[in-house]
Amino acid sequence: MMKARMAAVLLVLLAGGAWAAPEGAAGTDRGVFEVPELKRVEITDQFFAPRREALGRVTLMSQWAQLGKHHDVDNFRVAAGELTGAHQGMMFNDSDVYKWLEAASYVLAKHPDSPAAAPVAELTRLIPEAQMPDGYLDTYYRIFAPDHRWRELDLNHELYCSGHFIEAACARSETSGDRRLLAAAERLGDCIAAEFGPGKNEGVPGHEEVELALIRLYRVTGNPAYLDTAAFFIDRRGRDPHYKRELLRDVGGAAKVSQAARKLRALDPVKPDQERVDVGMIFKPSALLRAIADISSGRYFQMDRPLAEQTVAVGHSVRAMYFCTGAADLCLERDDPGLRSALTSIWDRTITRRTYVTGGMGSLPIIEGFGRDYELPNRAYSETCAAIASFFFSHRMLRLTGEAKYADQMERALDNAILSGISLDGTKYFYQNPLTAAGKTQRQDWYKVACCPPNIARLLASLERYLYGEGKDAWVHQYVSGTADLELAAGKVRLTVASGLPWAGTVKVRVAPERPARFVLRLRVPGWSGASRVRVVGDAQEYRPQPGTYLALDREWKPGDEVELVFDLAPRLLPSPPEVKEDRGKVAILAGPLVYCLEDRDNPGINVHRVELDPQAPLAAEYRGDLLGGLAVVKARARDGRELVAVPYYAWDNRGPSHMEVWIKEAK
Ligand SMILES: [Zn+2]
């Protein structure tokens, strides 16, 4: 007995820490379903598999080359003392390396022979070398001003970068069992927990992300200090009565650090990179005034009031959505009715009034953020990262509630504003995702601020995490062909999904429990499907479920059972909300979850910005295997009878520059 206990203690120590509780062991309610491990889900889908194949074949290694070319990896070598010189690039570029590492970890879980293995091994060695002895990790501050660390929190990005490292380390540990990076993340988490909290450093990060990451670290390690620190950051935000004074102090501090940076960079033989593409924006004076108002009030940072008192997302969109994601994660761990109700309102109002039809977010380029309700200009900022962050927020709300509207929104963002962020060949990226273009907007190889490319890589590489739910019931949130080995209270079950989406409306879900078992299979009935039919093959009963719900099939399931779902994919016209000034009298073409757009190359001789669509003429979808990797175009009619051909928004700008419109004038 004694020996067994000693062996258990030894195992815990060998495993790398005193907190070795596995996921789910903290004794808290994690929402209405659990997320199955990535390795138990396979994706063979006609729509997503080619994108993920391009990710593994081209995207990952081309991104690694970009990170190398732009000194992002060398910044770690300088911080580790392995290379002389200075930090180059933006102060937050460490986070791009971490997001890439997270993406590579997911890919390696399925493809251990991927060429990404060597760079992942190098980063596993290098990153801990760049840490300070107490676990602090940030190459910009370590190189330029270690004595300024954790000081200019509003303006700089130490905690944001820390969060992305923690996420990458958790991903690597979860998918490979290699705990070396996780050990480094725990040292960093300990450093953050020692620094921040009531009566200690009471600052909060200028760019949220560390909150959700610390909760992820808590789930992996069981160490409650990480959850407490995340809770502190979330609760403290918006409660600083001296916000403006702190901000001014930060401006002074950050100026000193960048002065030190300039001096050191002047001595560095490495030339500052000139090749990155800037997002390039020209601002009107009125926009500048709004930005000043947003920043000085704290709205830009979601610091103008506590989250529990907010009713809609404000300020910088990526910041706001990561913040809400972290807060929803906190609700999954510690029930907080006030916070939960605020998150529900924020989600509802932000989605209905401050989100583009594509699921994109962010109307004001100058703050990369939210405008007023229904202020949705088509030149749209709509940063790829904001759509990705909103996808995470919706996923957490789905876990909290089990309501289908959240899964609908995940699908809308993914299939439109997120997939548009990367070219079909996996080599070029949009930072902004406008809903109109005049022949000049094109995806780029890389950006001066390159947050979006590795962010889309990590999402596509971990898509498995968002399709199913397990625990008490079996959930199918997204119909992506493949298999899932779910672990239910009633036993193990394999689901095999054969989905025609988004080109054909029939989906088959084969249910194979290890042995016959009674459980509830919850199948999402998308909000976009006006008329859906569901039946268990062999049963006489046919269900006609409401759109935007989960159909719960509670029965004794046995191997070989199959459910057939038929969704309505007929193309439809969506009138713009009358409150959106720029789109009054316009319609968008949708089919299933996809938003369509007109590109001029499919409509020769037609001005896509001015053409008037005849709303009475029927719409017809036509699958074209030869076009853009295979997709359905939608054909409509102009007022003068000419044919209009629309392509899915995600696929635009894959054939050279074009004029493009999502919202089309409706002929009266
Ligand atoms: Zn971004």
Side-chain angles (χ1 to χ4, degrees):
M1 189 66 192
M2 197 61 191
K3 265 188 188 163
R5 201 173 297 158
M6 273 176 67
V9 169
L10 262 177
L11 268 176
V12 165
L13 290 175
L14 283 172
W19 306 100
E23 173 126 0
T28 49
D29 176 15
R30 290 269 165 75
V32 296
F33 60 86
E34 294 281 340
V35 176
E37 291 164 287
L38 182 119
K39 66 182 181 205
R40 289 193 273 118
V41 177
E42 292 298 332
I43 293 174
T44 57
D45 194 69
Q46 53 160 359
F47 186 62
F48 285 104
R51 307 302 291 261
R52 286 158 48 90
E53 192 270 330
L55 175 81
R57 183 172 42 80
V58 187
T59 311
L60 262 191
M61 292 315 286
S62 70
Q63 291 193 353
W64 176 249
Q66 293 284 2
L67 294 168
K69 186 168 132 188
H70 294 116
H71 207 270
D72 298 343
V73 182
D74 279 345
N75 287 338
F76 287 88
R77 299 196 174 104
V78 175
E82 297 175 6
L83 194 67
T84 52
H87 175 289
Q88 297 290 349
M90 307 298 286
M91 69 176 81
F92 40 75
N93 283 357
D94 289 2
S95 61
D96 298 336
V97 177
Y98 301 144
K99 276 185 275 188
W100 182 88
L101 177 60
E102 188 182 342
S105 300
Y106 299 132
V107 169
L108 282 169
K110 298 282 177 74
H111 306 284
D113 55 342
S114 159
V120 167
E122 168 61 0
L123 291 176
T124 304
R125 181 200 69 77
L126 177 60
I127 293 171
E129 294 290 326
Q131 266 183 307
M132 290 174 76
D134 68 346
Y136 179 86
L137 178 62
D138 185 275
T139 66
Y140 180 82
Y141 269 86
R142 175 153 197 196
I143 293 167
F144 291 136
D147 54 328
H148 267 252
R149 63 183 221 174
W150 304 140
R151 280 172 58 177
E152 294 86 26
L153 294 170
D154 289 338
L155 298 178
N156 290 347
H157 288 66
E158 297 154 281
L159 285 163
Y160 168 79
C161 291
S162 298
H164 278 303
F165 173 62
I166 290 169
E167 283 214 87
C170 290
R172 183 69 184 141
S173 161
E174 285 163 355
T175 53
S176 71
D178 182 339
R179 296 174 66 99
R180 283 175 291 171
L181 288 172
L182 184 67
E186 288 181 271
R187 287 197 297 279
L188 174 57
D190 294 344
C191 173
I192 294 169
E195 172 76 17
F196 294 95
K200 299 190 272 183
N201 185 338
E202 297 197 350
V204 298
H207 194 314
E208 301 92 323
E209 154 66 23
V210 76
E211 303 84 352
L212 70 91
L214 283 169
I215 296 173
R216 187 168 179 180
L217 187 60
Y218 159 70
R219 287 174 183 161
V220 172
T221 63
N223 184 344
Y226 306 142
L227 181 62
D228 289 341
T229 308
F232 163 76
F233 284 140
I234 292 164
D235 182 58
R236 171 73 184 160
R237 200 172 197 86
R239 293 188 201 277
D240 182 358
H242 309 298
Y243 164 73
K244 281 188 190 167
R245 205 171 65 198
E246 303 278 332
L247 185 64
L248 281 176
R249 205 202 47 153
D250 276 15
V251 171
K256 277 187 199 153
V257 178
S258 47
Q259 205 177 9
R262 266 199 304 278
K263 271 190 199 158
L264 213 54
R265 278 176 177 167
L267 303 172
D268 188 350
V270 176
K271 274 192 185 156
D273 165 57
Q274 301 292 333
E275 291 172 56
R276 289 168 181 256
V277 176
D278 218 328
V279 176
M281 289 172 290
I282 300 162
F283 304 117
K284 291 183 196 157
S286 56
L288 201 60
L289 287 176
R290 283 184 75 178
I292 292 168
D294 249 47
I295 291 169
S296 62
S297 67
R299 264 197 312 276
Y300 174 82
F301 304 98
Q302 301 76 45
M303 284 187 197
D304 57 323
R305 67 195 68 185
L307 187 61
E309 295 170 21
Q310 296 188 18
T311 55
V312 67
V314 294
H316 187 271
S317 303
V318 182
R319 282 174 164 85
M321 289 298 104
Y322 281 153
F323 183 32
C324 289
T325 304
D329 270 331
L330 183 61
C331 290
L332 282 160
E333 300 300 333
R334 293 177 178 170
D335 192 29
D336 183 333
L339 205 53
R340 190 179 163 132
S341 134
L343 289 169
T344 306
S345 311
I346 291 170
W347 191 94
D348 284 340
R349 187 165 147 195
T350 304
I351 293 300
T352 52
R353 302 183 190 186
R354 297 189 178 189
T355 302
Y356 288 97
V357 66
T358 53
M361 288 182 178
S363 319
L364 306 180
I366 196 165
I367 59 158
E368 303 187 309
F370 293 102
R372 294 182 272 267
D373 283 355
Y374 301 109
E375 185 182 14
L376 294 165
N378 291 323
R379 66 172 194 286
Y381 198 69
S382 185
E383 182 181 340
T384 305
C385 283
I388 293 171
S390 84
F391 179 91
F392 296 148
F393 178 30
S394 294
H395 183 241
R396 303 319 198 268
M397 294 306 288
L398 180 63
R399 285 192 71 186
L400 271 172
T401 63
E403 289 179 36
K405 66 180 179 182
Y406 299 113
D408 276 353
Q409 190 59 29
M410 289 170 70
E411 180 182 48
R412 177 151 74 120
L414 177 63
D415 288 1
N416 301 289
I418 296 175
L419 279 187
S420 68
I422 184 167
S423 60
L424 291 172
D425 66 5
T427 60
K428 293 194 183 326
Y429 313 92
F430 273 138
Y431 189 110
Q432 294 161 261
N433 294 273
L435 282 74
T436 181
K440 288 185 188 144
T441 310
Q442 289 218 269
R443 291 183 189 83
Q444 304 292 329
D445 295 338
W446 208 243
Y447 288 92
K448 189 172 178 188
V449 174
C451 49
C452 302
N455 213 0
I456 194 163
R458 72 179 180 137
L459 175 59
L460 280 178
S462 59
L463 203 57
E464 290 93 334
R465 294 158 60 99
Y466 304 99
L467 311 179
Y468 302 92
E470 64 180 13
K472 189 166 149 284
D473 305 333
W475 296 73
V476 185
H477 305 305
Q478 308 293 341
Y479 298 101
V480 172
S481 296
T483 58
D485 290 315
L486 303 183
E487 295 181 355
L488 305 180
K492 291 183 178 175
V493 58
R494 166 168 282 204
L495 300 183
T496 304
V497 173
S499 168
L501 298 179
W503 315 127
T506 301
V507 177
K508 289 180 177 169
V509 180
R510 211 164 55 233
V511 186
E514 266 188 341
R515 58 190 68 84
R518 182 173 186 140
F519 59 88
V520 182
L521 176 62
R522 293 185 187 271
L523 300 161
R524 175 174 148 251
V525 182
W528 47 257
S529 176
S532 307
R533 290 180 282 121
V534 183
R535 65 186 185 98
V536 178
V537 176
D539 275 14
Q541 188 178 2
E542 184 176 79
Y543 302 90
R544 302 280 176 119
Q546 283 293 313
T549 59
Y550 278 87
L551 175 68
L553 297 175
D554 180 1
R555 58 190 278 149
E556 166 113 349
W557 296 95
K558 53 186 189 319
D561 281 345
E562 187 169 86
V563 184
E564 188 180 88
L565 306 97
V566 181
F567 300 128
D568 176 11
L569 278 180
R572 61 198 191 276
L573 294 179
L574 177 77
S576 169
E579 297 91 342
V580 179
K581 234 185 340 188
E582 194 173 314
D583 295 330
R584 232 167 256 164
K586 293 183 185 175
V587 289
I589 300 172
L590 281 73
L594 297 178
V595 175
Y596 278 72
C597 63
L598 296 179
E599 268 194 297
D600 54 357
R601 65 183 58 245
D602 302 306
N603 299 281
I606 292 174
N607 180 335
V608 298
H609 309 298
R610 297 214 174 149
V611 71
E612 293 186 16
L613 183 146
D614 175 0
Q616 306 306 326
L619 301 170
E622 182 184 305
Y623 187 78
R624 297 261 309 269
D626 60 331
L627 186 62
L628 296 163
L631 51 74
V633 297
V634 173
K635 293 184 171 172
R637 290 269 162 213
R639 176 197 198 131
D640 59 12
R642 282 185 295 175
E643 185 178 75
L644 298 174
V645 177
V647 293
Y649 175 76
Y650 76 78
W652 90 275
D653 185 44
N654 275 285
R655 297 169 289 174
S658 67
H659 285 259
M660 182 276 291
E661 270 311 330
V662 168
W663 290 105
I664 308 158
K665 284 186 183 157
E666 185 182 23
K668 293 290 169 209

